Structures are given as structure tokens and as C-alpha cells.
Amino acid sequence: ETGVTQSPTHLIKTRGQQVTLRCSSQSGHNTVSWYQQALGQGPQFIFQYYREEENGRGNFPPRFSGLQFPNYSSELNVNALELDDSALYLCASSLSGEYGEKLFFGSGTQLSVL
Amino acid sequence: QKEVEQNSGPLSVPEGAIASLNCTYSDRGSQSFFWYRQYSGKSPELIMSIYSNGDKEDGRFTAQLNKASQYVSLLIRDSQPSDSATYLCAAQSGGSYIPTFGRGTSLIVHP
């Protein structure tokens, strides 16, 4: 059973640029969630995809967008990068169960915006 | 707005002691609760889940839930230096697939 993998692990961009982050979900999982974690803060929910459809969205502007592919892998795209977008971006896969969503996180992508 | 509150710490305990981590949540509709451990520079890892009032034990970890008080706690017995990490509490409402995370409590276990 393969775990959740994310790429790249680190990324440096300048303000105004665009970035794409990638995530492969754990084998057998059909749901992918993306979180942003600033230093010293808890993960903040960006959005979730279930079977290629957006299944919920947090309080993030439209320049944060995503995709889920038929193999359940996913992309997070951020346009017009701002300095405050510097954070650890976490992808988590899950398989919905009766008693809630146990998330399995990837190792994250550390994004620095200069 | 659904909120999960945790004291950011750090909580410092000696090796072998019991570490007690606390969390409160604002949404009375929350039904599922999770504790994640996050080592510095790493991603969160699920260590406990609890859904019913009372205690749930798993090895050295005990999760406690009191829905009337909207309170969740995690006890770590016989704390080890390797337990030093940030512990994230998360709450999820019934019918929602999206947990809300607290900011985490930093735990330091010193030899």
C-alpha cells in the first residue's frame, strides 16, 4: 500500500507568479483535501475533492484552484502569488467512513514567496 | 464559524510523567474528534480518534471526550523525549467530511 506523496517538497517563487502543487493519494482512497499551514498555526482547509468534484471549500480566494484526476491524484494551483501564501501546503487523502474522515497526510510542499 | 481552541504551549513535562493536552470546540454538532501528532518540519500523523463520550485508550495514549462541556483531551502516560512534538486537535461535524483543526499544542518532554 503506497502512502500519500506530494511534489515538489520545496519551492521558491516570486510575488505574482503562479504555482502548481501535486499530490498522489493513498491507494484505495477517493478523496483528497488540501490544507495550508502557516508557521505556528494549525492546518487551514482550502478545498476537498471527491471523485473529481469539488466537495467543499474553505475561506480562500478564487486564485486558489484545484483538480482531481480519474486516478484520484490532485493538483493545487495558486495564481498571482502573494507573500502571505508562503506556507506548508499539505495534501491529505481519505476514504469516507461512517464515523468521520481520518486523514492521511503527505509530507507537504514548503512554498516560499519572495 | 466553527472553532477549535488549543493552548499553544509549550507544555514541558519530565520524562516518565503524564502529559495532558486539552482542546475545546465551538460547534455543538461536532461528532468526530481526532488527535494528530506533528513533528517539527513533518506532516501531521493521526494518533487517536474518538466519537463517544468517555475515555478511549490505545497504548500510552488516552483520549477523553465530554460533549456536554465541548471538551477533548489527550493524555500521554510515561512520556518520552520522542513524544516531543506539536499535537493538533481536530473536530468534525456530523454530515461533514471536513475536520476543523486547532493551532496545536507544543509538547516538550525533557530527560
Side-chain angles (χ1 to χ4, degrees):
Chain A
E1 182 181 86
T2 57
V4 180
T5 58
Q6 290 186 244
S7 62
T9 54
H10 296 84
L11 204 52
I12 300 174
K13 292 286 189 178
T14 57
R15 197 170 45 184
Q17 286 189 311
Q18 177 268 344
V19 68
T20 297
L21 311 182
R22 296 179 173 82
C23 171
S24 294
S25 61
Q26 183 165 312
S27 177
H29 286 182
N30 57 20
T31 304
V32 172
S33 303
W34 285 92
Y35 286 82
Q36 180 196 66
Q37 187 175 26
L39 194 63
Q41 302 297 316
Q44 296 297 309
F45 175 71
I46 303 175
F47 43 59
Q48 182 185 83
Y49 280 85
Y50 170 71
R51 293 186 175 180
E52 303 179 59
E53 296 288 330
E54 188 177 287
N55 191 41
R57 188 177 182 92
N59 189 26
F60 280 81
R63 59 189 185 85
F64 285 78
S65 63
L67 284 173
Q68 187 179 33
F69 300 100
N71 66 354
Y72 302 133
S73 65
S74 178
E75 285 183 356
L76 164 65
N77 299 290
V78 187
N79 293 322
L81 283 167
E82 300 177 0
L83 298 179
D84 284 349
D85 295 334
S86 296
L88 179 66
Y89 288 84
L90 295 164
C91 167
S93 76
S94 55
L95 181 62
S96 298
E98 180 180 358
Y99 291 113
E101 203 79 337
K102 296 180 181 180
L103 300 177
F104 296 85
F105 286 90
S107 56
T109 294
Q110 185 66 55
L111 173 64
S112 298
V113 182
L114 306 178
Chain B
Q1 178 149 345
K2 301 173 185 177
E3 293 184 345
V4 176
E5 299 288 341
Q6 295 181 260
N7 187 322
S8 62
L11 172 66
S12 182
V13 301
E15 185 174 357
I18 296 175
S20 178
L21 304 162
N22 304 315
C23 167
T24 59
Y25 58 94
S26 64
D27 181 10
R28 284 199 168 273
S30 297
Q31 296 187 4
S32 305
F33 304 88
F34 307 92
W35 284 98
Y36 288 82
R37 178 177 61 199
Q38 186 173 25
Y39 291 114
S40 180
K42 303 295 184 182
S43 59
E45 172 192 18
L46 179 67
I47 54 172
M48 290 287 286
S49 57
I50 186 166
Y51 311 104
S52 303
N53 277 330
D55 295 0
K56 179 182 178 182
E57 188 174 315
D58 184 0
R60 295 186 297 112
F61 299 99
T62 299
Q64 299 175 317
L65 174 60
N66 184 327
K67 290 186 178 180
S69 300
Q70 295 177 243
Y71 179 91
V72 191
S73 65
L74 179 70
L75 301 178
I76 305 175
R77 290 182 300 281
D78 188 24
S79 295
Q80 301 297 309
S82 59
D83 294 325
S84 298
T86 295
Y87 289 81
L88 299 164
C89 174
Q92 185 171 332
S93 300
S96 169
Y97 296 110
I98 300 160
T100 299
F101 284 84
R103 65 182 298 176
T105 298
S106 174
L107 172 66
I108 299 172
V109 181
H110 54 86

